Each structure stands twice: as C-alpha cells, then as structure tokens.
Amino acid sequence: MSNPIAPVENPSAKPRRMEDGGRMNSGGSQSGVRAESGKSSARQVPPDSLTVSQRGPVTLVRLSRPAKRNALDDVTIAGLETFFSSPPEGTRVVILHGEGKHFSAGADLSVVAETSAATAVRLSRAAHRACDRIEYGDVPVIVVLHGAVIGGSLELAAAAHIRVAEHGAYYGLPEGTRGIFVGAGGAVRIPRLIGTARMIDMMLTGRTYSASDGASLGFSQYLVGDGQGLARAIALAEGIAANAVLSNFAIVQALPRIARADPETGLLMESLMTAIAVSDEEAKARLNAFLEKRAPKTSHRPAAAE
C-alpha cells in the first residue's frame, strides 16, 4: 500500500523521521506535512502543532508543541477537527499522541486569559466539533497518555475510544482553581468514565490522579511502562485494523449511542446493527473461516504490564 502522506519541500525545516516502533524524531518545525484524503481531492495541511505520519492502515497524529507542553490553542483544535473529519485514504485506525515530556497541559491559558464571553463560546463549540469528530468518526481512535493530561487534554482524551497510559501520566482538572470551566465536552464525557462526583471533586479541589489510580477509575484501559505507550498503541491498532471494517464502524458508532439511549431504543438499534453487520460479505467469510476451523478460537492470554 502506498503512503498517501508526502512531505512538501521546506528548506527551513529539518527532516522528521520514523524510528523503530513508529516513534517520531523531530529536528524542527515542519508545516508542510500533507495528507491525501479519500473523501476529498483537496489536500489537508496540518498546522505546525500537529505532525501526521502513516504506518500502513494506522495513521499517527502527534501534538507537536513541546515547548508549550503541547497546550491546545485554537489553531491546533481546528487542525484536529480538519484531520478527523477526513483522515488519509486507507486509514483504519488513528493513534493520537504527544511529543516531548507530556501528552498535553490542556488549553493554552495565554489565549484563554484574553478571551471574551462571545469568543469563549465560539472556541468551546469548535472544541466540541473536534472531539465529536474523534468520538463519532469513521475509524477507531487510540490515544497515548504520558506526563501531564490536564484540563482540555483530558477532555480530548475522553473522546477517544481506547486510552493507553504510561506509568508517568497524571490527570487533573484545575479549572476551579483557575476560575474557569471545562469547555471541550468534558462535562459530558468525563463523568461517563469516572462519575460526576469524582469530577466535581477534581475541579473544586485541584486533586490529581496518578496513572495507576486512573487505570482503576476508568481514565485508561491500558497501563504500560514509561516509554512503552506508543508501541502498545501501535500493536493494538494493527490488531484492530485487521478487523472487519463494518464491524469496527458499528462498534464505535453504535455502542456509545446505545449506551445513552432508553432501553427500548437501544435494543432496537442493537438488532439493526446486528443485521447490518452480519449481512456484510467480509463477516460471512470470517464466520465461515471459524466454522471450518481456519480461524483461531478465543482464548485468554494475560497481558504483561497491565
């Protein structure tokens, strides 16, 4: 499969390279990374704060503002919305991760401090759109968490389908101590993970949680050693990419909506998705392979470092 991401010549930028395991090594700003979209003939040009690379059917998106602890400004949020609205052709799973010592310290407070009420509403709604594109996009999204996962970045992570945390990650919602409020969908998504009472406590007191505590509370589904998050995410993504496309789509699209629907509506949605998924030719081929003993049975293999 050809790589649809081609670098644009930029004499002032040092090259970026893919290291073993999909790690990216940055030698400077690269504003010209381009992604071909399968849904549009127009090319997407991510901002300097985002770096896009591809590993077969897995596309990696990296927050690239390490000097600002990957703080999320309006340009970065707009870039995320654009990317997740139309990932590169051939993408079956997306991995979102951060450059440097932290996933992200949250909203760029230097921008927030000068924001009017009207602008704050506009920026919040833009963040809602970006996070909705992640949660309700066409493909599963895995996020890798390390270092600070604070405020708006925790809201961003909550929109992903799978969260892999390194031991050094920590979670916080310091909005109460800053005199502000969550604005990227956290008021809806984070209570689904940890409950409303715990979120209230975090916002009122500034309480933080370690990665270990966060794994038990629901912030992440996987906990790995420091420096191992991206490798684990890639391994998960490659397995997910091997699933039936329609099945993956149904899982990420239908399950969250069924969970929020009333029981009768949820059960009807389940029946409809069952019928759609099982009628797919790929599903039939996979079921026949299992019945003919050409596919492995499900077995339990304890995972290391979880």
Side-chain angles (χ1 to χ4, degrees), residues 77 84 124-137 141 143 151-161 163 173 181-196 198-199 202-203 217-220 252 256-257 259-260:
I77 293 297
F84 282 101
S124 175
R125 295 300 288 165
H128 291 166
R129 291 193 300 272
C131 289
D132 283 349
R133 293 295 189 182
I134 293 172
E135 183 175 5
Y136 300 116
V141 179
V143 64
S153 71
L154 182 51
E155 298 181 81
L156 180 66
H161 304 108
R163 288 167 292 281
L173 292 169
F181 196 73
V182 291
V188 172
R189 291 187 176 93
I190 295 175
R192 294 178 194 156
L193 302 180
I194 63 170
T196 302
R198 188 166 280 114
M199 183 176 179
M202 292 179 71
M203 292 183 68
L217 295 175
F219 280 125
S220 71
V252 300
R257 290 176 167 89
R260 293 193 294 275

Side-chain angles (χ1 to χ4, degrees), residues 72-84:
L72 303 170
D73 59 3
D74 55 342
V75 173
T76 303
I77 293 297
L80 288 170
E81 181 189 358
T82 298
F83 171 85
F84 282 101

Side-chain angles (χ1 to χ4, degrees), residues 35-299:
E36 286 276 10
S37 167
K39 301 176 183 177
S40 170
S41 60
R43 288 179 181 266
Q44 301 175 23
V45 182
D48 288 346
S49 54
L50 295 176
T51 303
V52 178
S53 62
Q54 197 152 3
R55 183 186 175 99
V58 179
T59 299
L60 296 92
V61 182
R62 185 179 66 189
L63 303 176
S64 299
R65 297 184 78 199
K68 297 281 287 183
R69 299 208 302 173
N70 293 327
L72 303 170
D73 59 3
D74 55 342
V75 173
T76 303
I77 293 297
L80 288 170
E81 181 189 358
T82 298
F83 171 85
F84 282 101
S85 295
S86 186
E89 183 178 4
T91 298
R92 297 184 70 161
V93 185
V94 173
I95 296 174
L96 177 63
H97 64 118
E99 180 178 348
K101 297 180 179 180
H102 304 281
F103 172 65
S104 172
D108 190 334
L109 296 183
S110 65
V111 175
V112 174
E114 304 298 325
T115 300
S116 66
T119 300
V121 170
R122 178 180 62 79
L123 293 176
S124 175
R125 295 300 288 165
H128 291 166
R129 291 193 300 272
C131 289
D132 283 349
R133 293 295 189 182
I134 293 172
E135 183 175 5
Y136 300 116
D138 291 345
V139 298
V141 179
I142 302 173
V143 64
V144 180
L145 306 174
H146 75 289
V149 187
I150 304 296
S153 71
L154 182 51
E155 298 181 81
L156 180 66
H161 304 108
I162 294 178
R163 288 167 292 281
V164 177
E166 297 185 357
H167 278 292
Y170 60 94
Y171 309 100
L173 292 169
E175 282 78 2
T177 63
R178 304 282 188 264
I180 55 178
F181 196 73
V182 291
V188 172
R189 291 187 176 93
I190 295 175
R192 294 178 194 156
L193 302 180
I194 63 170
T196 302
R198 188 166 280 114
M199 183 176 179
I200 289 173
D201 176 37
M202 292 179 71
M203 292 183 68
L204 286 177
T205 67
R207 180 177 186 174
T208 60
Y209 285 100
S210 67
S212 296
D213 289 338
S216 63
L217 295 175
F219 280 125
S220 71
Q221 295 102 316
Y222 294 86
L223 181 62
V224 300
D226 290 337
Q228 298 175 11
L230 188 55
R232 174 58 66 84
I234 289 172
L236 291 169
E238 289 176 343
I240 293 168
N243 293 344
V245 173
L246 183 57
S247 183
N248 280 350
F249 180 82
I251 290 166
V252 300
Q253 288 285 330
L255 279 180
R257 290 176 167 89
I258 290 172
R260 293 193 294 275
D262 63 85
E264 291 80 8
T265 300
L267 291 172
L268 176 59
M269 290 174 63
E270 180 187 75
S271 296
L272 295 174
M273 289 310 309
T274 296
I276 293 170
V278 78
S279 65
D280 185 57
E281 290 303 316
E282 185 175 359
K284 294 184 183 302
R286 288 169 180 257
L287 290 171
N288 286 329
F290 178 79
L291 294 172
E292 295 168 4
K293 303 187 185 304
R294 292 183 286 109
K297 294 182 178 180
T298 300
S299 60

